[in-house]
Amino acid sequence: MPSALDTNMRFKFSALALLLEVIIIVLFGLFVEYDSNNVSQNTIYPFFQDVHVMIFVGFGFLMTFLKKFGFSSVGINMLIAALGLQWGTLMQGFWHMKGGKISVDIKSMINADFSTATALISFGAVLGKTSPVQMLILTILEITIFACNEHLVTEILQATDVGASMTIHAFGAYFGLAVALVLYRPGLKNKHENEESTYHSDIFAMIGTLFLWLFWPSFNSAIAHDQDSRTKAIVNTYYSLAACTVVTFALSSLVDQRGKFSMVLIQNATLAGGVAVGTCADMSIYPFAAMCIGSIAGIISVLGFKFLTPFMASKLNIQDTCGVHNLHGLPGILGGIAGIIVTAVRKEIRATARFTPDMQAAALGSTIAIALAGGILTGGILKLPFLGQASDQNCFDDSVYWEVPEEEKLYEIHSNNHDEHSRFEATM
Amino acid sequence: MPSALDTNMRFKFSALALLLEVIIIVLFGLFVEYDSNNVSQNTIYPFFQDVHVMIFVGFGFLMTFLKKFGFSSVGINMLIAALGLQWGTLMQGFWHMKGGKISVDIKSMINADFSTATALISFGAVLGKTSPVQMLILTILEITIFACNEHLVTEILQATDVGASMTIHAFGAYFGLAVALVLYRPGLKNKHENEESTYHSDIFAMIGTLFLWLFWPSFNSAIAHDQDSRTKAIVNTYYSLAACTVVTFALSSLVDQRGKFSMVLIQNATLAGGVAVGTCADMSIYPFAAMCIGSIAGIISVLGFKFLTPFMASKLNIQDTCGVHNLHGLPGILGGIAGIIVTAVRKEIRATARFTPDMQAAALGSTIAIALAGGILTGGILKLPFLGQASDQNCFDDSVYWEVPEEEKLYEIHSNNHDEHSRFEATM
Amino acid sequence: MPSALDTNMRFKFSALALLLEVIIIVLFGLFVEYDSNNVSQNTIYPFFQDVHVMIFVGFGFLMTFLKKFGFSSVGINMLIAALGLQWGTLMQGFWHMKGGKISVDIKSMINADFSTATALISFGAVLGKTSPVQMLILTILEITIFACNEHLVTEILQATDVGASMTIHAFGAYFGLAVALVLYRPGLKNKHENEESTYHSDIFAMIGTLFLWLFWPSFNSAIAHDQDSRTKAIVNTYYSLAACTVVTFALSSLVDQRGKFSMVLIQNATLAGGVAVGTCADMSIYPFAAMCIGSIAGIISVLGFKFLTPFMASKLNIQDTCGVHNLHGLPGILGGIAGIIVTAVRKEIRATARFTPDMQAAALGSTIAIALAGGILTGGILKLPFLGQASDQNCFDDSVYWEVPEEEKLYEIHSNNHDEHSRFEATM
């Protein structure tokens, strides 16, 4: 007899996933064709591959820090991204159809990968507290809303955001935080025993951190309009991240009373410089300004993890598992503000003349507003009681949704002094 | 006094490895020179590097799932690939000599890496049950036979196989399965206690899965003839893999009675779409057809792991450790069949006019026949009793061939004996 | 009350790191601008990304083999590299200023990444025995001295060293060994209980090994002068590493009395072929000569690990944690000697006519002399007593400088039979 929190999603999950895949294939059959006009595709293929690694290895492994949620982190990340890149191709393509057809090429694949990043960022906010069925729904809804907002920002408001500080990072973070607010679990007010890392899970997470960090220059330059602005985006991101990393280490030691580094800060705040420099990465801001942006991003991110995330969890009922607010949210806003300032004060260095500070501000505001509204709407849908979410005590535990090696269970029994019989009953 | 199963291979292994290396260097000195005509090499260097990562990181880490065989998986994988790429350069080069010389360049390096994939796939079938000496011999023999079959398929039969669904994946799988049949170990009929994963070994394996998955578009397009067919191969592989992944997650949940995902399926079956789309990847099949091929590959692969592999082990005496039949064998055949169908029904979209369905069918048939014959021959040679293979109870255990950290041995004692005092004595 | 070995570096570390970052940003503001003349930058961007991965993932994970020092290995590696690439940009740039300005582009970023490799190699020599504050100082000093020596070798002596066998590998190794000599710890004469690996830490280290191994052809060819010499450098490095790997496996088995492979040798000596072929990688030495160089490098490196490192530790008071002498020092000298021989015997194949064996020898000699002198000077500075170095018994232990998950500490308590109460007090 299934309870209110039935986590056996054998038929629900497979039916929904197969249905979505069939719908997508039919839509691809109707609308999608190769872009035969574009012959210089292969020059950006290395950029695509870097972004591709960031999406699947970077985001996937960054979230493996939890001691018993590694399968879900890297596995459900892969599922979201594989579904999302197909859906993103369609959602972004519908805004740019020619003759009723969507053309795909390497550039559209980069954009499709980009679109999945929003859902993966939001996944970080609710990590450990949502079911795979819920994540399928979130992926479809978020990427749909993202594509609309992206169209608004780039086509209607004519704002610039080459590294997507606003349209991906801030959007994904505030969307995810809004979902987390709606799905608030009072039972997790006290720290869950599984919501922590182990020594090796923290090292796995560094695989994600490093591939994100290393390929961020590619992320911020992949869709640049020309060679010159692409090189500037690469250089600016490279130095922003380097400065951010040194500052993050300094702050991580400074905010700890014994002066010790914190893995959660090194894994996350070192990346804030890549987010924050995104909007104006392709402009002639010079490396020293990029380094200032990166340094500020590092400071904001460290302080966010240290003070804001606990505050939001305890006072605002927003439980942000991975601290996406500090890695994507605040640095994304910083990136948007930097874009406003740069377009305002240095007219001569705008990538093209059409970007104005008021449109940049409108883009930032609309992005956050749409993300919050979309997240609340999505959260409401995900709250429907038959979507397989786990009980509070089963949060952050792969064994709810995955076959987990016995050895691991035995270890767990041993270390927790549980009764073996009760556990085996629990899984039946 | 060495027993029949003497696993100390100090002199045998090092003598054989050094002898092979000396022979190879002499042959390189006699035959190999730089290709000075090819000036546009660097455009395919990123494709080479992607393939290179797949061979060493992808295959190597994919096999680290076993709890006590990670050193061998990633280490012997490296040995096979390093030896194989040298031997493959010679074997492939002998079929294309000009003026008695073999020219090497980036493209020949891609092909040399490709040739090692056959031996690495076969390694997956016999993983944990063969010695390093046996793997040296298998590598030399398999790559030699592979190069002959590849010549037959591409030069004599004039068949197309851009992503090598037939010539690498099906070939490597059926060669390995034939070797496994000859090396059948009745003593492993009941599941060996080491033939399982741990929580972290499964996450290590995901590193392999993801790098294979991400760079498969490069694998299928690396030796495409022109920019247009290369872009098509990239796009088709990208969408085939994405569809395959969603379908694999759906099926993985569906075939488990509690609806739980299985790591072995996510690690392997998600890749079947890359194998199956290989033969016709560079043709204008359109993304929706690629997604159909990927979806069917995912279904076949999941069902193969769930039902066929246990059947083959118990009834056909074929013990396929990594399930290469489901990842490379069946999807490879599917790819070959897809190639036959596409060349048959859509004459106008053939990459060049010369490919015909009957030659594609002949290529598929000859590949499997030669793989099976070569595998049986090789298995017979590997069965010679002085090649260092371990006893049944020492299978799947690194400590037979590697120095393993003491701590690990202690842990093992601990978990098996549960007496703390005996552990400390054991180390003294 | 702080003791002589006060490891709480809360204010010292953060003040020094922030000070350095502020100085660097000011210098960037004064001197650094984009290189607007260089339009063909993107063709070498994939080479930059490969080198970038080597520096952060390759070096970082290679050092994670120690059982309790993985956070520091991958984390402090990231810190050194992020600081070093900024400082290296300035130090290398000051030697090539035009109009009082330093121009940055993709090529200068490759060189900046290169410069950090020297500090990371030296980090390997003193791994586990130095504090983060010490490593900040070492990074600044070593890169400064490196830039001077590089200028001497390439501009004044006009020597060739495309893969930097001398200027990076030998330099970094002998600098680090000189530091290790000055920082000699008699208390570590007997093997420290933490100076060993675990099963999974050895597999983490293989991530580093493989990404270094795979991308070494990019390292040795990234700054080649033209397409032809770049392709030669790629081909030569590829085959040198392959031969080195087979020979390393053979020797690893041969030097063990039970014929077992050693992880430390597979992790390190397989890479020696990339170091040793560096100096003459872009010359027409033909693949067979590259393979000979790689084979000799593998032999030297294995014998170095087996016999020389223990001798140096016990007799010469040089404790080389990672054995950088065998991976970078000896193979670097071998590379320098190969460069002397090649420029001497085969004048027709010099990359350009200006390279002479006497200048190559002078480059090798001056590099080692400057490295040793610089290392002794730096070691003397690092010996100052307020720089946060740990006591002997706290060496090789992340928990001195990092917050480490509780679970890990519990495990430690358990395995060491310590008193739980005393530990919990210690962390308060």
Side-chain angles (χ1 to χ4, degrees):
Chain A
M1 183 171 52
S3 75
L5 291 175
D6 179 19
T7 59
N8 185 332
M9 32 153 220
R10 184 178 185 184
F11 299 109
K12 281 176 201 158
F13 175 83
S14 48
L16 179 59
L18 290 175
L19 176 67
L20 288 172
E21 190 57 50
V22 169
I23 290 171
I24 287 170
I25 291 177
V26 170
L27 291 173
F28 265 68
L30 294 174
F31 294 111
V32 176
E33 62 182 15
Y34 303 113
D35 186 348
S36 53
N37 297 323
N38 203 328
V39 293
S40 64
Q41 285 296 305
N42 282 9
T43 61
I44 59 168
Y45 185 66
F47 292 81
F48 161 71
Q49 276 297 3
D50 291 352
V51 170
H52 212 36
V53 170
M54 291 175 77
I55 296 294
F56 285 82
V57 174
F59 281 105
F61 273 89
L62 183 63
M63 294 187 281
T64 57
F65 71 98
L66 288 170
K67 67 180 177 183
K68 295 166 91 175
F69 211 61
F71 288 7
S72 296
S73 297
V74 76
I76 304 301
N77 185 87
M78 187 186 188
L79 171 66
I80 294 170
L83 174 67
L85 68 87
Q86 299 175 68
W87 190 250
T89 301
L90 294 169
M91 290 302 106
Q92 294 177 316
F94 284 139
W95 289 107
H96 300 97
M97 295 218 291
K98 283 172 192 158
K101 292 289 182 184
I102 296 168
S103 293
V104 293
D105 57 9
I106 311 294
K107 189 175 180 188
S108 77
M109 286 162 58
I110 294 174
N111 279 314
D113 266 29
F114 276 177
S115 75
T116 71
T118 58
L120 299 175
I121 292 166
S122 299
F123 182 41
V126 296
L127 190 74
K129 300 167 296 192
T130 48
S131 73
V133 172
Q134 288 177 306
M135 291 315 300
L136 292 181
I137 297 169
L138 180 144
T139 301
I140 297 295
L141 293 175
E142 180 162 3
I143 290 176
T144 306
I145 299 168
F146 157 77
C148 296
N149 181 63
E150 188 191 41
H151 182 75
L152 172 67
V153 165
T154 59
E155 302 296 326
I156 297 174
L157 298 178
Q158 297 274 332
T160 184
D161 195 17
V162 71
S165 306
M166 299 183 286
T167 53
I168 292 177
H169 295 288
F171 183 90
Y174 288 100
F175 192 102
L177 294 170
V179 172
L181 176 65
V182 177
L183 298 184
Y184 176 62
R185 288 170 178 263
L188 299 182
K189 199 125 191 169
N190 297 317
K191 196 177 169 64
H192 192 288
E193 63 166 330
N194 290 339
E195 198 179 357
E196 54 186 30
S197 62
T198 63
Y199 193 65
H200 280 169
S201 73
D202 268 329
I203 295 179
F204 277 121
M206 283 302 290
I207 297 173
T209 297
L210 287 176
F211 279 105
L212 286 170
W213 198 94
L214 291 166
F215 292 157
W216 215 293
S218 305
F219 190 97
N220 281 354
S221 67
I223 56 167
H225 287 285
D226 55 74
Q227 289 281 86
D228 185 55
S229 55
R230 175 167 294 142
T231 302
K232 288 201 175 97
I234 290 167
V235 169
N236 289 334
T237 307
Y238 177 74
Y239 287 111
S240 173
L241 283 165
C244 178
T245 299
V246 174
V247 169
T248 296
F249 270 90
L251 269 280
S252 178
S253 175
L254 191 62
V255 299
D256 183 79
Q257 62 179 3
R258 296 153 306 164
K260 295 191 182 185
F261 302 124
S262 156
M263 259 293 174
V264 68
L265 297 177
I266 304 309
Q267 284 159 4
N268 290 280
T270 52
L271 299 167
V275 175
V277 83
T279 298
C280 52
D282 59 346
M283 301 180 191
S284 291
I285 57 173
Y286 291 94
F288 88 93
M291 293 157 89
C292 291
I293 292 172
S295 299
I296 297 168
I299 295 168
I300 287 175
S301 191
V302 169
L303 297 179
F305 274 102
K306 186 76 181 176
F307 303 109
L308 195 55
T309 296
F311 173 80
M312 285 167 64
S314 62
K315 304 295 179 197
L316 304 183
N317 293 352
I318 299 174
Q319 295 158 329
D320 177 7
T321 308
C322 295
V324 300
H325 190 226
N326 314 304
L327 169 47
H328 301 280
L330 294 173
I333 291 179
L334 176 61
I337 293 170
I340 296 168
I341 294 171
V342 172
T343 52
V345 300
R346 302 199 64 180
K347 287 173 199 278
E348 77 278 13
I349 63 164
R350 289 176 206 167
T352 83
R354 61 182 182 178
F355 305 126
T356 59
D358 46 335
M359 284 301 125
Q360 293 298 122
L364 179 58
S366 75
T367 295
I368 293 172
I370 291 171
L372 290 172
I376 287 168
L377 174 74
T378 302
I381 293 168
L382 299 190
K383 225 176 173 175
L384 295 174
F386 49 84
L387 296 179
Q389 60 271 51
S391 64
D392 288 351
Q393 68 266 33
N394 281 333
C395 280
F396 312 111
D397 189 343
D398 276 332
S399 67
V400 177
Y401 304 113
W402 294 81
E403 292 175 31
V404 171
E406 280 302 316
E407 180 250 23
E408 187 63 18
K409 291 183 191 159
L410 286 170
Y411 168 74
E412 184 189 335
I413 291 159
H414 185 67
S415 64
N416 290 346
N417 260 349
H418 282 169
D419 180 1
E420 265 191 54
H421 293 292
S422 68
R423 275 195 68 81
F424 286 137
E425 282 162 27
T427 60
M428 288 176 197
Chain B
M1 183 171 49
S3 75
L5 292 175
D6 179 19
T7 58
N8 186 334
M9 33 155 219
R10 185 176 184 185
F11 299 109
K12 281 176 202 160
F13 175 83
S14 49
L16 179 60
L18 290 175
L19 176 67
L20 288 172
E21 190 57 50
V22 168
I23 291 171
I24 287 170
I25 291 177
V26 170
L27 291 173
F28 264 70
L30 293 174
F31 293 112
V32 176
E33 62 182 15
Y34 304 111
D35 185 349
S36 52
N37 296 322
N38 202 328
V39 293
S40 64
Q41 285 296 305
N42 282 9
T43 60
I44 59 169
Y45 185 66
F47 292 81
F48 161 70
Q49 275 298 2
D50 291 351
V51 170
H52 212 35
V53 170
M54 290 175 76
I55 296 295
F56 286 82
V57 174
F59 282 105
F61 273 90
L62 184 63
M63 295 187 282
T64 57
F65 70 99
L66 288 169
K67 67 180 177 185
K68 294 165 92 176
F69 211 62
F71 288 8
S72 296
S73 297
V74 76
I76 303 302
N77 184 87
M78 188 185 187
L79 171 66
I80 294 170
L83 174 66
L85 68 87
Q86 299 175 67
W87 190 250
T89 300
L90 294 170
M91 290 301 107
Q92 294 177 316
F94 284 139
W95 288 107
H96 302 95
M97 295 217 292
K98 286 172 190 158
K101 291 289 182 185
I102 296 168
S103 292
V104 292
D105 57 9
I106 311 294
K107 190 175 180 186
S108 78
M109 286 162 58
I110 293 174
N111 279 313
D113 266 30
F114 276 176
S115 75
T116 71
T118 59
L120 298 175
I121 292 167
S122 299
F123 183 40
V126 297
L127 190 73
K129 298 167 298 191
T130 48
S131 73
V133 172
Q134 288 177 306
M135 292 315 300
L136 292 181
I137 297 168
L138 181 143
T139 302
I140 297 295
L141 293 176
E142 180 162 3
I143 290 176
T144 305
I145 300 168
F146 157 77
C148 297
N149 181 63
E150 188 191 42
H151 182 76
L152 172 68
V153 165
T154 59
E155 302 296 325
I156 298 175
L157 298 179
Q158 296 274 331
T160 183
D161 195 16
V162 71
S165 306
M166 298 183 286
T167 53
I168 292 175
H169 295 287
F171 182 90
Y174 287 100
F175 192 102
L177 293 172
V179 173
L181 175 65
V182 177
L183 298 183
Y184 176 62
R185 288 172 179 262
L188 297 183
K189 199 124 190 169
N190 298 316
K191 195 177 168 65
H192 192 289
E193 64 165 330
N194 290 341
E195 198 179 357
E196 54 186 30
S197 63
T198 63
Y199 193 66
H200 281 170
S201 74
D202 268 329
I203 295 179
F204 277 120
M206 282 302 291
I207 296 173
T209 297
L210 287 176
F211 279 105
L212 286 170
W213 198 95
L214 292 166
F215 292 157
W216 216 294
S218 304
F219 190 97
N220 282 354
S221 66
I223 57 166
H225 288 284
D226 55 73
Q227 288 283 84
D228 184 55
S229 54
R230 176 167 293 142
T231 302
K232 286 199 176 98
I234 291 167
V235 169
N236 289 334
T237 308
Y238 178 72
Y239 286 110
S240 174
L241 283 164
C244 179
T245 300
V246 174
V247 168
T248 296
F249 271 90
L251 269 280
S252 178
S253 174
L254 191 61
V255 299
D256 184 78
Q257 61 179 4
R258 296 154 304 165
K260 294 190 182 185
F261 301 124
S262 156
M263 258 293 174
V264 69
L265 297 177
I266 304 309
Q267 284 159 4
N268 290 280
T270 52
L271 300 167
V275 175
V277 83
T279 299
C280 51
D282 59 345
M283 302 179 190
S284 291
I285 57 172
Y286 290 94
F288 88 94
M291 294 157 87
C292 290
I293 293 171
S295 299
I296 296 168
I299 294 169
I300 287 175
S301 190
V302 169
L303 297 180
F305 274 103
K306 186 77 181 176
F307 303 110
L308 195 55
T309 295
F311 172 81
M312 286 168 65
S314 61
K315 304 296 178 195
L316 305 183
N317 292 352
I318 299 173
Q319 295 158 329
D320 177 6
T321 308
C322 294
V324 300
H325 190 227
N326 314 303
L327 170 48
H328 301 280
L330 294 173
I333 291 179
L334 175 62
I337 293 172
I340 297 169
I341 295 171
V342 172
T343 51
V345 300
R346 303 198 62 177
K347 288 172 199 277
E348 78 277 14
I349 63 164
R350 291 177 204 165
T352 83
R354 62 183 183 177
F355 304 127
T356 59
D358 47 334
M359 285 300 125
Q360 293 297 124
L364 179 59
S366 75
T367 295
I368 293 173
I370 291 170
L372 289 172
I376 286 169
L377 173 76
T378 302
I381 293 169
L382 299 191
K383 225 176 174 175
L384 296 173
F386 49 84
L387 297 179
Q389 60 270 52
S391 65
D392 288 350
Q393 67 266 33
N394 280 333
C395 280
F396 313 111
D397 190 343
D398 276 333
S399 67
V400 177
Y401 304 113
W402 294 81
E403 292 175 30
V404 171
E406 282 302 316
E407 179 250 21
E408 186 64 16
K409 291 182 191 158
L410 286 171
Y411 169 74
E412 186 188 335
I413 292 160
H414 182 65
S415 61
N416 294 339
N417 279 351
H418 291 279
D419 181 353
E420 262 190 57
H421 292 292
S422 66
R423 353 190 341 203
F424 288 116
E425 283 162 29
T427 62
M428 289 173 195
Chain C
M1 184 169 51
S3 75
L5 291 175
D6 179 19
T7 58
N8 186 333
M9 35 158 217
R10 184 178 184 183
F11 300 109
K12 282 175 201 159
F13 175 83
S14 47
L16 179 59
L18 290 175
L19 177 66
L20 288 171
E21 189 58 49
V22 168
I23 291 170
I24 287 170
I25 291 177
V26 170
L27 291 173
F28 264 69
L30 293 174
F31 294 111
V32 177
E33 62 182 14
Y34 304 112
D35 185 349
S36 52
N37 296 323
N38 203 328
V39 292
S40 65
Q41 285 296 303
N42 283 9
T43 61
I44 59 169
Y45 185 66
F47 292 81
F48 161 70
Q49 276 298 1
D50 291 352
V51 171
H52 211 35
V53 170
M54 291 175 76
I55 296 295
F56 286 82
V57 174
F59 282 104
F61 273 90
L62 184 62
M63 294 187 282
T64 57
F65 71 98
L66 289 168
K67 67 179 177 184
K68 294 165 92 174
F69 212 61
F71 288 8
S72 296
S73 296
V74 76
I76 304 303
N77 185 87
M78 187 186 188
L79 171 66
I80 294 169
L83 174 66
L85 68 88
Q86 300 174 68
W87 190 250
T89 301
L90 294 170
M91 290 302 106
Q92 295 177 316
F94 284 139
W95 289 107
H96 301 96
M97 295 218 291
K98 284 172 192 158
K101 292 290 183 183
I102 296 168
S103 293
V104 293
D105 57 10
I106 311 294
K107 190 175 180 187
S108 77
M109 285 162 57
I110 293 174
N111 279 313
D113 266 30
F114 276 177
S115 74
T116 71
T118 59
L120 298 177
I121 292 166
S122 300
F123 182 40
V126 297
L127 190 73
K129 299 168 296 193
T130 49
S131 73
V133 171
Q134 289 176 306
M135 291 315 301
L136 291 180
I137 298 168
L138 180 144
T139 302
I140 296 295
L141 294 176
E142 180 162 2
I143 290 175
T144 305
I145 301 167
F146 156 78
C148 297
N149 181 63
E150 189 192 40
H151 181 76
L152 172 67
V153 165
T154 58
E155 302 296 324
I156 298 173
L157 299 178
Q158 297 274 330
T160 182
D161 195 16
V162 71
S165 305
M166 301 183 285
T167 53
I168 291 177
H169 294 289
F171 183 90
Y174 288 100
F175 192 102
L177 293 170
V179 173
L181 175 65
V182 178
L183 299 184
Y184 175 62
R185 289 170 178 263
L188 297 183
K189 200 128 191 165
N190 298 316
K191 196 176 168 65
H192 193 288
E193 62 165 331
N194 290 340
E195 199 181 357
E196 54 187 30
S197 63
T198 63
Y199 192 66
H200 280 169
S201 74
D202 268 328
I203 295 180
F204 277 121
M206 283 301 291
I207 297 173
T209 298
L210 287 177
F211 279 105
L212 287 170
W213 198 93
L214 292 167
F215 292 157
W216 216 294
S218 305
F219 190 97
N220 280 355
S221 67
I223 57 167
H225 288 286
D226 55 72
Q227 288 282 85
D228 184 55
S229 54
R230 175 166 294 144
T231 302
K232 287 199 177 97
I234 290 168
V235 169
N236 290 333
T237 308
Y238 177 73
Y239 287 110
S240 174
L241 283 165
C244 179
T245 299
V246 174
V247 169
T248 296
F249 271 90
L251 269 280
S252 178
S253 175
L254 191 62
V255 299
D256 184 77
Q257 61 180 4
R258 298 154 303 165
K260 294 190 183 186
F261 301 124
S262 155
M263 258 294 172
V264 70
L265 297 176
I266 304 309
Q267 284 158 6
N268 291 280
T270 52
L271 299 167
V275 175
V277 83
T279 298
C280 51
D282 59 344
M283 300 179 190
S284 291
I285 57 172
Y286 290 94
F288 87 94
M291 294 156 88
C292 292
I293 293 172
S295 300
I296 296 167
I299 294 168
I300 287 175
S301 190
V302 169
L303 297 179
F305 273 102
K306 186 77 182 176
F307 303 109
L308 195 55
T309 295
F311 173 80
M312 286 168 63
S314 61
K315 304 295 179 197
L316 305 183
N317 292 351
I318 300 173
Q319 296 158 329
D320 178 5
T321 308
C322 295
V324 301
H325 190 226
N326 314 302
L327 169 49
H328 303 280
L330 294 174
I333 291 179
L334 175 62
I337 294 171
I340 296 168
I341 295 171
V342 172
T343 51
V345 299
R346 303 199 63 179
K347 287 173 197 278
E348 78 276 14
I349 63 164
R350 290 177 204 165
T352 83
R354 61 182 184 178
F355 304 127
T356 59
D358 48 335
M359 284 300 125
Q360 293 296 123
L364 179 59
S366 75
T367 295
I368 293 172
I370 291 172
L372 289 172
I376 287 167
L377 173 75
T378 303
I381 294 171
L382 299 191
K383 228 178 172 173
L384 295 174
F386 49 85
L387 297 179
Q389 59 271 52
S391 63
D392 288 351
Q393 68 266 33
N394 281 333
C395 281
F396 313 110
D397 190 343
D398 276 332
S399 67
V400 177
Y401 304 114
W402 293 81
E403 293 175 30
V404 171
E406 280 303 316
E407 180 249 22
E408 187 64 17
K409 290 183 190 159
L410 286 172
Y411 169 75
E412 185 188 335
I413 292 159
H414 185 65
S415 63
N416 291 344
N417 258 349
H418 283 168
D419 181 358
E420 265 191 51
H421 294 293
S422 67
R423 277 195 67 81
F424 284 136
E425 281 162 27
T427 59
M428 289 173 197

